[in-house]
Amino acid sequence: MRKKRSSFTTEFKTLVVLEALKGELTISQLAAKYTITSKNILNWKQLFLDNAALAFEANNSTKSSKAELAKLKKENEKLASKLSSLASERDYAIEKLKDLDL
């Protein structure tokens, strides 16, 4: 039987990586402390360092993401309203057809 693959939150990964970067404990000690593999810590650390520059670009990307999210929410509201209207029209038409006894 296969062992279920563990899934870790981004907060947990960040905590572990920051501890690894402090250098107070070795990677092996951190792995034992958190009962994870050294390979996980090394992969997370590399990913963290590869994407560190994004922390300083966040302002522009965050603004554009928020604007796009607002636009999509507005569009979603319009579509939900239209769907509700069409569902009501359909229900009305079904009732009228039933009244005709066809």
Side-chain angles (χ1 to χ4, degrees):
M1 195 163 119
R2 292 184 111 179
K3 184 178 177 184
K4 186 178 180 211
R5 195 171 182 180
S6 297
S7 144
F8 304 99
T9 66
T10 53
E11 291 83 10
F12 175 76
K13 292 176 185 179
T14 303
L15 170 78
V16 174
V17 168
L18 291 175
E19 276 195 54
L21 291 172
K22 283 181 190 176
E24 294 172 358
L25 298 174
T26 67
I27 298 297
S28 297
Q29 290 170 326
L30 285 172
K33 178 181 176 180
Y34 292 109
T35 60
I36 56 176
T37 65
S38 298
K39 184 70 174 159
N40 276 345
I41 297 173
L42 292 171
N43 288 341
W44 298 342
K45 182 179 171 184
Q46 188 60 51
L47 185 62
F48 184 87
L49 294 173
D50 289 345
N51 293 298
L54 294 176
F56 301 104
E57 297 173 2
N59 198 20
N60 290 336
S61 63
T62 301
K63 285 181 183 175
S64 65
S65 294
K66 285 182 180 179
E68 184 177 353
L69 180 60
K71 178 183 169 189
L72 291 171
K73 282 183 177 181
K74 192 172 187 176
E75 182 180 354
N76 193 19
E77 288 172 5
K78 285 182 185 178
L79 291 171
S81 175
K82 182 68 175 174
L83 179 62
S84 176
S85 173
L86 290 172
S88 294
E89 289 177 21
R90 182 207 59 213
D91 293 344
Y92 176 78
I94 289 172
E95 287 303 315
K96 285 298 179 184
L97 286 172
K98 286 179 182 176
D99 289 346
L100 291 175
D101 286 330
L102 293 177

